[in-house]
Coordinates of all heavy atoms in Angstrom, one line a residue:
Q1 N -7.4 -4.0 27.0 CA -7.6 -2.6 27.3 C -7.3 -1.7 26.0 O -7.9 -0.6 25.9 CB -6.8 -2.1 28.4 CG -7.1 -2.8 29.8 CD -6.2 -2.3 30.9 OE1 -5.3 -1.5 30.7 NE2 -6.4 -2.9 32.1
Y2 N -6.5 -2.3 25.2 CA -6.1 -1.5 24.0 C -7.0 -1.8 22.8 O -7.2 -0.9 21.9 CB -4.6 -1.9 23.6 CG -3.6 -1.7 24.7 CD1 -2.5 -2.5 24.7 CD2 -3.8 -0.8 25.7 CE1 -1.5 -2.3 25.7 CE2 -2.8 -0.6 26.7 CZ -1.7 -1.4 26.7 OH -0.7 -1.3 27.7
F3 N -7.5 -3.0 22.7 CA -8.3 -3.5 21.6 C -9.5 -4.3 22.0 O -9.4 -4.9 23.1 CB -7.4 -4.3 20.6 CG -6.2 -3.6 20.1 CD1 -5.0 -3.7 20.7 CD2 -6.4 -2.8 18.9 CE1 -3.9 -3.0 20.2 CE2 -5.3 -2.1 18.4 CZ -4.0 -2.2 19.1
A4 N -10.6 -4.3 21.3 CA -11.8 -4.9 21.7 C -11.6 -6.4 21.8 O -12.1 -7.1 22.7 CB -12.9 -4.6 20.7
D5 N -10.8 -7.0 20.9 CA -10.6 -8.4 20.9 C -9.4 -8.8 19.9 O -8.8 -7.9 19.4 CB -11.9 -9.2 20.5 CG -12.5 -8.8 19.2 OD1 -11.7 -8.2 18.3 OD2 -13.7 -8.9 19.0
K6 N -9.1 -10.0 19.8 CA -8.0 -10.5 19.0 C -8.2 -10.0 17.5 O -7.3 -9.6 16.8 CB -7.9 -12.0 19.0 CG -6.8 -12.6 18.2 CD -6.8 -14.1 18.4 CE -5.7 -14.8 17.5 NZ -5.8 -16.3 17.6
R7 N -9.4 -10.1 17.0 CA -9.7 -9.8 15.6 C -9.5 -8.3 15.4 O -9.0 -7.8 14.4 CB -11.1 -10.2 15.2 CG -11.3 -10.1 13.7 CD -12.7 -10.7 13.3 NE -13.8 -9.9 13.8 CZ -15.0 -10.3 13.8 NH1 -15.4 -11.5 13.4 NH2 -16.0 -9.6 14.3
D8 N -9.8 -7.5 16.4 CA -9.6 -6.0 16.3 C -8.1 -5.7 16.2 O -7.7 -4.9 15.4 CB -10.3 -5.4 17.5 CG -10.4 -3.9 17.4 OD1 -10.7 -3.4 16.3 OD2 -10.2 -3.2 18.4
L9 N -7.3 -6.4 17.0 CA -5.9 -6.2 17.0 C -5.4 -6.6 15.6 O -4.5 -5.9 15.0 CB -5.2 -7.0 18.1 CG -3.7 -7.1 18.1 CD1 -3.1 -5.7 18.2 CD2 -3.2 -8.0 19.2
Y10 N -5.8 -7.7 15.1 CA -5.4 -8.2 13.8 C -5.7 -7.2 12.7 O -4.8 -7.0 11.9 CB -6.1 -9.6 13.5 CG -5.6 -10.3 12.3 CD1 -4.3 -10.5 12.0 CD2 -6.6 -10.9 11.5 CE1 -3.9 -11.2 10.9 CE2 -6.2 -11.7 10.4 CZ -4.9 -11.8 10.1 OH -4.5 -12.5 9.0
A11 N -6.9 -6.7 12.7 CA -7.2 -5.7 11.7 C -6.4 -4.4 11.8 O -6.0 -3.9 10.8 CB -8.7 -5.3 11.8
F12 N -6.1 -4.0 13.0 CA -5.2 -2.9 13.2 C -3.8 -3.1 12.7 O -3.2 -2.3 12.0 CB -5.2 -2.5 14.7 CG -4.2 -1.4 15.1 CD1 -4.5 -0.1 14.7 CD2 -3.0 -1.7 15.7 CE1 -3.7 0.9 15.1 CE2 -2.1 -0.6 16.0 CZ -2.5 0.7 15.7
I13 N -3.3 -4.3 13.0 CA -1.9 -4.7 12.5 C -1.9 -4.7 11.0 O -1.0 -4.3 10.3 CB -1.5 -6.0 13.1 CG1 -1.3 -5.8 14.6 CG2 -0.2 -6.5 12.4 CD1 -0.2 -4.8 15.0
A14 N -3.0 -5.2 10.4 CA -3.1 -5.2 8.9 C -3.1 -3.8 8.3 O -2.5 -3.5 7.3 CB -4.3 -6.0 8.5
D15 N -3.7 -2.9 9.0 CA -3.8 -1.5 8.6 C -2.4 -0.9 8.7 O -2.0 -0.2 7.8 CB -4.8 -0.8 9.5 CG -5.2 0.6 8.9 OD1 -5.2 0.7 7.6 OD2 -5.4 1.5 9.6
I16 N -1.7 -1.1 9.8 CA -0.4 -0.6 9.9 C 0.5 -1.0 8.8 O 1.3 -0.3 8.2 CB 0.2 -1.0 11.3 CG1 -0.5 -0.3 12.4 CG2 1.7 -0.6 11.4 CD1 -0.3 1.2 12.6
G17 N 0.5 -2.4 8.5 CA 1.4 -2.9 7.5 C 1.0 -2.3 6.1 O 1.8 -2.0 5.3
S18 N -0.4 -2.2 5.9 CA -0.8 -1.7 4.6 C -0.5 -0.3 4.4 O -0.2 0.2 3.3 CB -2.4 -1.9 4.5 OG -2.7 -3.2 4.5
Q19 N -0.4 0.5 5.5 CA 0.0 1.9 5.3 C 1.4 2.0 4.9 O 1.8 2.9 4.1 CB -0.2 2.6 6.7 CG -1.7 2.9 7.0 CD -1.8 3.6 8.3 OE1 -1.0 4.4 8.7 NE2 -2.9 3.2 9.0
R20 N 2.3 1.1 5.4 CA 3.7 1.1 5.0 C 3.8 0.8 3.5 O 4.6 1.5 2.7 CB 4.5 0.1 5.8 CG 4.8 0.5 7.2 CD 5.9 -0.3 7.8 NE 5.6 -1.7 7.8 CZ 5.1 -2.4 8.8 NH1 4.7 -1.8 9.9 NH2 4.9 -3.7 8.7
V21 N 3.1 -0.2 3.1 CA 3.1 -0.6 1.6 C 2.6 0.5 0.8 O 3.1 0.9 -0.3 CB 2.4 -1.9 1.4 CG1 2.3 -2.3 -0.1 CG2 3.0 -3.1 2.2
R22 N 1.5 1.1 1.2 CA 0.8 2.2 0.5 C 1.8 3.4 0.3 O 1.8 4.0 -0.7 CB -0.5 2.6 1.2 CG -1.2 3.7 0.4 CD -2.5 4.0 1.1 NE -3.2 5.2 0.5 CZ -4.4 5.5 0.7 NH1 -5.2 4.8 1.5 NH2 -4.9 6.6 0.1
A23 N 2.5 3.7 1.4 CA 3.4 4.9 1.3 C 4.5 4.6 0.3 O 4.8 5.5 -0.5 CB 4.0 5.1 2.7
Y24 N 5.0 3.4 0.3 CA 6.0 3.1 -0.7 C 5.4 3.2 -2.2 O 6.0 3.8 -3.0 CB 6.5 1.6 -0.5 CG 7.2 1.1 -1.7 CD1 8.5 1.5 -2.0 CD2 6.6 0.2 -2.6 CE1 9.2 1.0 -3.1 CE2 7.2 -0.3 -3.7 CZ 8.5 0.1 -3.9 OH 9.2 -0.4 -5.0
I25 N 4.2 2.6 -2.4 CA 3.7 2.5 -3.7 C 3.3 3.8 -4.2 O 3.4 4.2 -5.4 CB 2.5 1.5 -3.8 CG1 2.4 0.9 -5.2 CG2 1.2 2.1 -3.3 CD1 3.5 -0.1 -5.6
E26 N 2.8 4.7 -3.3 CA 2.4 6.1 -3.8 C 3.6 6.9 -4.2 O 3.5 7.6 -5.2 CB 1.6 6.8 -2.7 CG 0.2 6.2 -2.5 CD -0.6 6.9 -1.4 OE1 0.0 7.4 -0.4 OE2 -1.8 7.0 -1.5
Q27 N 4.7 6.7 -3.5 CA 5.9 7.4 -3.9 C 6.5 6.8 -5.2 O 6.9 7.6 -6.1 CB 7.0 7.3 -2.8 CG 8.3 7.9 -3.1 CD 8.2 9.4 -3.4 OE1 7.4 10.1 -2.7 NE2 8.9 9.9 -4.4
L28 N 6.4 5.5 -5.3 CA 6.8 4.9 -6.6 C 6.0 5.3 -7.8 O 6.5 5.6 -8.9 CB 6.7 3.3 -6.4 CG 7.1 2.5 -7.6 CD1 8.6 2.7 -7.9 CD2 6.8 1.0 -7.4
I29 N 4.7 5.5 -7.6 CA 3.8 5.9 -8.7 C 4.3 7.3 -9.2 O 4.4 7.5 -10.4 CB 2.4 6.0 -8.2 CG1 1.8 4.5 -8.1 CG2 1.5 6.8 -9.1 CD1 0.5 4.4 -7.4
L30 N 4.6 8.2 -8.3 CA 5.1 9.5 -8.7 C 6.4 9.4 -9.5 O 6.6 10.1 -10.5 CB 5.3 10.4 -7.5 CG 4.0 10.7 -6.7 CD1 4.4 11.6 -5.4 CD2 3.1 11.5 -7.6
E31 N 7.3 8.5 -9.0 CA 8.6 8.3 -9.7 C 8.5 7.7 -11.1 O 9.2 8.1 -12.0 CB 9.5 7.5 -8.8 CG 9.9 8.1 -7.5 CD 10.6 7.2 -6.6 OE1 10.9 6.0 -7.0 OE2 11.0 7.6 -5.4
L32 N 7.5 6.8 -11.2 CA 7.3 6.1 -12.5 C 6.5 7.0 -13.5 O 6.4 6.6 -14.7 CB 6.6 4.8 -12.3 CG 7.4 3.7 -11.6 CD1 6.6 2.5 -11.4 CD2 8.7 3.4 -12.3
D33 N 5.8 8.0 -13.0 CA 5.0 8.9 -13.9 C 3.8 8.2 -14.4 O 3.8 7.6 -15.5 CB 5.9 9.5 -15.0 CG 5.1 10.5 -15.9 OD1 3.9 10.8 -15.5 OD2 5.5 10.8 -17.0
P34 N 2.7 8.3 -13.6 CA 1.4 7.6 -14.0 C 0.7 8.2 -15.2 O -0.3 7.7 -15.6 CB 0.6 7.8 -12.7 CG 1.1 9.0 -12.1 CD 2.6 9.1 -12.4
S35 N 1.3 9.3 -15.7 CA 0.6 10.0 -16.9 C 1.0 9.2 -18.2 O 0.5 9.5 -19.3 CB 1.0 11.4 -17.0 OG 2.4 11.6 -17.3
R36 N 2.0 8.3 -18.1 CA 2.4 7.6 -19.3 C 1.3 6.6 -19.7 O 0.4 6.3 -18.9 CB 3.7 6.8 -19.0 CG 4.9 7.8 -18.9 CD 6.1 7.0 -18.7 NE 6.0 6.1 -17.5 CZ 6.5 4.9 -17.5 NH1 7.1 4.4 -18.5 NH2 6.4 4.2 -16.4
P37 N 1.3 5.9 -20.9 CA 0.3 5.0 -21.2 C 0.1 3.9 -20.1 O 1.1 3.4 -19.6 CB 0.9 4.3 -22.5 CG 1.8 5.4 -23.1 CD 2.3 6.1 -21.9
F38 N -1.1 3.7 -19.8 CA -1.5 2.9 -18.6 C -0.8 1.6 -18.5 O -0.3 1.2 -17.5 CB -3.0 2.8 -18.5 CG -3.5 2.0 -17.3 CD1 -3.4 2.5 -16.1 CD2 -4.0 0.7 -17.5 CE1 -3.8 1.8 -15.0 CE2 -4.4 0.0 -16.4 CZ -4.3 0.5 -15.1
F39 N -0.9 0.8 -19.6 CA -0.4 -0.6 -19.4 C 1.2 -0.7 -19.4 O 1.7 -1.6 -18.8 CB -1.0 -1.5 -20.5 CG -2.5 -1.7 -20.3 CD1 -3.4 -1.0 -21.1 CD2 -2.9 -2.5 -19.3 CE1 -4.7 -1.1 -20.9 CE2 -4.3 -2.7 -19.1 CZ -5.2 -2.0 -19.9
V40 N 1.8 0.3 -20.0 CA 3.3 0.4 -19.9 C 3.6 0.8 -18.4 O 4.5 0.2 -17.8 CB 3.8 1.5 -20.9 CG1 5.3 1.7 -20.6 CG2 3.6 1.1 -22.3
F41 N 2.9 1.8 -17.9 CA 3.1 2.2 -16.5 C 2.8 1.0 -15.6 O 3.6 0.7 -14.6 CB 2.2 3.4 -16.2 CG 2.0 3.6 -14.7 CD1 3.0 4.2 -14.0 CD2 0.9 3.2 -14.1 CE1 2.9 4.5 -12.6 CE2 0.7 3.4 -12.8 CZ 1.7 4.1 -12.0
L42 N 1.7 0.3 -15.8 CA 1.3 -0.8 -14.9 C 2.4 -1.9 -14.9 O 2.7 -2.5 -13.9 CB 0.0 -1.4 -15.4 CG -0.6 -2.5 -14.6 CD1 -0.8 -2.1 -13.1 CD2 -1.9 -3.1 -15.2
T43 N 3.0 -2.2 -16.0 CA 4.0 -3.2 -16.1 C 5.2 -2.8 -15.2 O 5.7 -3.7 -14.4 CB 4.5 -3.3 -17.6 OG1 3.4 -3.7 -18.4 CG2 5.6 -4.4 -17.7
E44 N 5.6 -1.6 -15.3 CA 6.8 -1.2 -14.4 C 6.4 -1.1 -12.9 O 7.2 -1.5 -12.1 CB 7.3 0.2 -14.9 CG 7.9 0.1 -16.3 CD 8.6 1.4 -16.7 OE1 8.9 2.2 -15.8 OE2 8.8 1.6 -17.9
L45 N 5.1 -0.8 -12.7 CA 4.6 -0.7 -11.3 C 4.6 -2.1 -10.7 O 5.1 -2.4 -9.6 CB 3.2 -0.1 -11.3 CG 2.6 0.0 -9.9 CD1 3.4 1.0 -9.0 CD2 1.2 0.5 -10.0
L46 N 4.2 -3.1 -11.5 CA 4.2 -4.5 -11.0 C 5.6 -5.1 -10.9 O 5.8 -5.9 -9.9 CB 3.3 -5.4 -11.9 CG 1.8 -5.1 -11.8 CD1 1.0 -5.9 -12.9 CD2 1.3 -5.6 -10.4
D47 N 6.5 -4.7 -11.7 CA 7.9 -5.1 -11.6 C 8.4 -4.7 -10.2 O 9.0 -5.4 -9.5 CB 8.7 -4.5 -12.7 CG 8.7 -5.3 -14.0 OD1 8.2 -6.5 -14.0 OD2 9.0 -4.7 -15.0

């Protein structure tokens, strides 16, 4: 009644988890200052 099928539930759960990760990474990007040289910034982001 909540989801069309198992795959629909699975995609929804993936979206929920991805939103948590995205919220963290977007805040982190601001803290690391994305205006710095791209590959220096990318290194710290991946760390």
Side-chain angles (χ1 to χ4, degrees):
Q1 294 178 3
Y2 306 152
F3 301 91
D5 52 26
K6 180 181 176 183
R7 193 172 66 190
D8 193 37
L9 172 59
Y10 186 43
F12 176 72
I13 292 302
D15 193 32
I16 292 290
S18 295
Q19 287 178 37
R20 288 197 300 268
V21 177
R22 178 173 175 171
Y24 163 78
I25 206 71
E26 287 180 330
Q27 180 58 41
L28 178 65
I29 286 169
L30 294 177
E31 294 171 3
L32 292 177
D33 183 8
S35 67
R36 292 183 302 141
F38 178 72
F39 292 102
V40 175
F41 163 78
L42 180 62
T43 300
E44 294 187 20
L45 183 64
L46 286 170
D47 280 340

